[in-house]
Amino acid sequence: MQKYMSATAIALCLASPALAEGKLNLYVWSESIAPELIETFSREYDVEVSVDGYTSNEDLLTKLQAGASGYDIAVPSQHFLRIMIDEGLVENYGANKLEAYNNIDERWRNQWWDETQEYSIPLAYGTAGFVVNTEEYDGPTDSLKYFLEPDGDLAGRIAMLSYPDEIIGTAQLYLGVPFCSEDPDEMKKVLDLLMAQKEAVAVYSSDNIESRLISGEVATHFWWDGETVRAQSEGAPLTYAMPKEGLVGWLDSMVIPKGAPNRENAIKFIEFISTPENATVEMNHYAHSSPMTVVEEDKKYTKDVAPALYPEVPVEMSRTCSPKAQDLVTRVWTQLLQ
């Protein structure tokens, strides 16, 4: 998953450094963690918490590969988590021995990205697709055709992300090309599709998506379900498309980077945010679905008010690709943006 908000660095000195038992440095998706949970944790555990934000898995991976990040918790998506485990960038903190493990919805336990659930506890999941401003476009949205092969109504009024990850996956869903294809001919079809769409694309950008959409600068944008739900809850005239070809799925999990300076506080925070009550607060703030057991009666985004979080079309989770397949993805994206 990649987010639209600009990176931030927010220091929350919510406990007196003179009294604090320790520190906790979070490196997470920008604005993803509920501020009230950070404040409560800091107060109850007497820990000084700092929060730093990123906007793409690539940024996180690069930081961890550089070493000595100084962070205690990071939140990669599933396909990047697999890379981080394989490269030895994250701690085995015995996640499956924590109380938090028992609160994970069974369908999200022990998945291929962490088979024994020793390295991660999930935080949120969702999908990526296209959203339309209904005051600017009132045409159909039940197929990716309207986004990837638009007619005159959307010509010049489409915005894409600036990263290939879920864009390539969406094109593959539309074409019936498997994720992580190593076939150059199949990936040539993906390139041809996106090159043809490019004539109708106004901008490739992962920043300021909400303002670009709501202002009417573009009529449709590639975005995420939760961000759309949050904007809708504030009155934005948006619709999250449910194309029959499906949506690209993601799941973000909490990991402890290798050499984290405050490992024990990281585990305390993971346990804290994973209780049913706090997982509910987090879901109500972030507006993405929770992979944890939540307090149903306190859940803000139900199916009735946030149907984008409850897709009834196929969802295909992004995969960790082989070097050969990843090289083809990079080539497609590089040629597209030339």
Side-chain angles (χ1 to χ4, degrees), residues 69-87:
S69 69
Y71 295 113
D72 302 306
I73 292 178
V75 189
S77 301
Q78 76 283 348
H79 44 327
F80 279 77
L81 169 57
R82 184 70 254 171
I83 294 171
M84 291 172 189
I85 292 174
D86 291 344
E87 293 189 6

Side-chain angles (χ1 to χ4, degrees), residues 91-165:
E91 295 271 359
N92 177 340
Y93 63 93
N96 58 9
K97 301 294 193 298
L98 302 183
E99 187 61 32
Y101 176 79
N102 297 322
N103 198 38
I104 304 173
D105 187 312
E106 288 193 10
R107 68 178 168 138
W108 294 118
R109 294 181 187 177
N110 308 319
Q111 294 290 324
W112 58 265
W113 49 84
D114 186 6
E115 298 95 336
T116 53
Q117 204 78 51
E118 295 176 288
Y119 295 85
S120 65
I121 293 292
L123 178 71
Y125 71 93
T127 61
F130 72 98
V131 56
V132 301
N133 181 328
T134 56
E135 293 180 350
E136 302 292 331
Y137 173 76
D138 61 0
T141 59
D142 60 350
S143 171
L144 292 171
K145 173 181 176 62
Y146 306 112
F147 186 74
L148 294 173
E149 295 187 294
D151 61 19
D153 290 344
L154 291 176
R157 307 201 67 200
I158 292 174
M160 300 281 273
L161 301 181
S162 59
Y163 300 95
D165 194 2

Side-chain angles (χ1 to χ4, degrees), residues 65-310:
Q65 287 174 328
S69 69
Y71 295 113
D72 302 306
I73 292 178
V75 189
S77 301
Q78 76 283 348
H79 44 327
F80 279 77
L81 169 57
R82 184 70 254 171
I83 294 171
M84 291 172 189
I85 292 174
D86 291 344
E87 293 189 6
L89 298 175
V90 293
E91 295 271 359
N92 177 340
Y93 63 93
N96 58 9
K97 301 294 193 298
L98 302 183
E99 187 61 32
Y101 176 79
N102 297 322
N103 198 38
I104 304 173
D105 187 312
E106 288 193 10
R107 68 178 168 138
W108 294 118
R109 294 181 187 177
N110 308 319
Q111 294 290 324
W112 58 265
W113 49 84
D114 186 6
E115 298 95 336
T116 53
Q117 204 78 51
E118 295 176 288
Y119 295 85
S120 65
I121 293 292
L123 178 71
Y125 71 93
T127 61
F130 72 98
V131 56
V132 301
N133 181 328
T134 56
E135 293 180 350
E136 302 292 331
Y137 173 76
D138 61 0
T141 59
D142 60 350
S143 171
L144 292 171
K145 173 181 176 62
Y146 306 112
F147 186 74
L148 294 173
E149 295 187 294
D151 61 19
D153 290 344
L154 291 176
R157 307 201 67 200
I158 292 174
M160 300 281 273
L161 301 181
S162 59
Y163 300 95
D165 194 2
E166 289 142 330
I167 296 290
I168 297 294
T170 296
Q172 290 171 320
L173 285 178
Y174 181 59
L175 294 170
V177 172
F179 285 4
C180 295
S181 172
E182 296 183 351
D183 185 335
D185 291 336
E186 288 184 333
M187 294 307 291
K188 177 67 165 50
K189 294 179 182 177
V190 173
L191 176 61
D192 290 344
L193 175 69
L194 295 177
M195 287 296 290
Q197 185 215 28
K198 185 176 182 179
E199 297 179 4
V201 174
V203 62
Y204 293 84
S205 174
S206 300
D207 297 322
N208 304 314
I209 294 176
E210 183 171 0
S211 62
R212 188 176 295 117
L213 258 175
I214 295 175
S215 69
E217 178 183 338
V218 296
T220 180
H221 211 305
F222 199 90
W223 214 13
W224 296 276
D225 54 350
E227 279 68 20
T228 305
V229 166
R230 290 169 75 170
Q232 288 172 322
S233 69
E234 296 169 357
L238 305 178
T239 290
Y240 190 72
M242 290 291 167
K244 60 187 178 185
E245 298 87 355
L247 296 163
V248 178
W250 54 267
L251 181 141
D252 294 341
S253 297
M254 294 176 282
V255 301
I256 299 179
K258 209 74 167 183
N262 304 289
R263 186 177 186 276
E264 294 309 310
N265 283 339
I267 293 174
K268 289 178 183 176
F269 185 80
I270 291 169
E271 290 277 44
F272 169 81
I273 200 172
S274 300
T275 65
E277 294 76 14
N278 289 339
T280 308
V281 173
E282 172 61 14
M283 180 180 175
N284 288 343
H285 164 77
Y286 199 22
H288 286 292
S289 297
S290 176
M292 314 300 287
T293 300
V294 298
V295 182
E296 289 295 323
E297 56 268 32
D298 293 337
K299 190 166 68 177
K300 179 179 178 181
Y301 297 112
T302 62
K303 188 173 184 178
D304 289 340
V305 301
L309 303 187
Y310 304 86

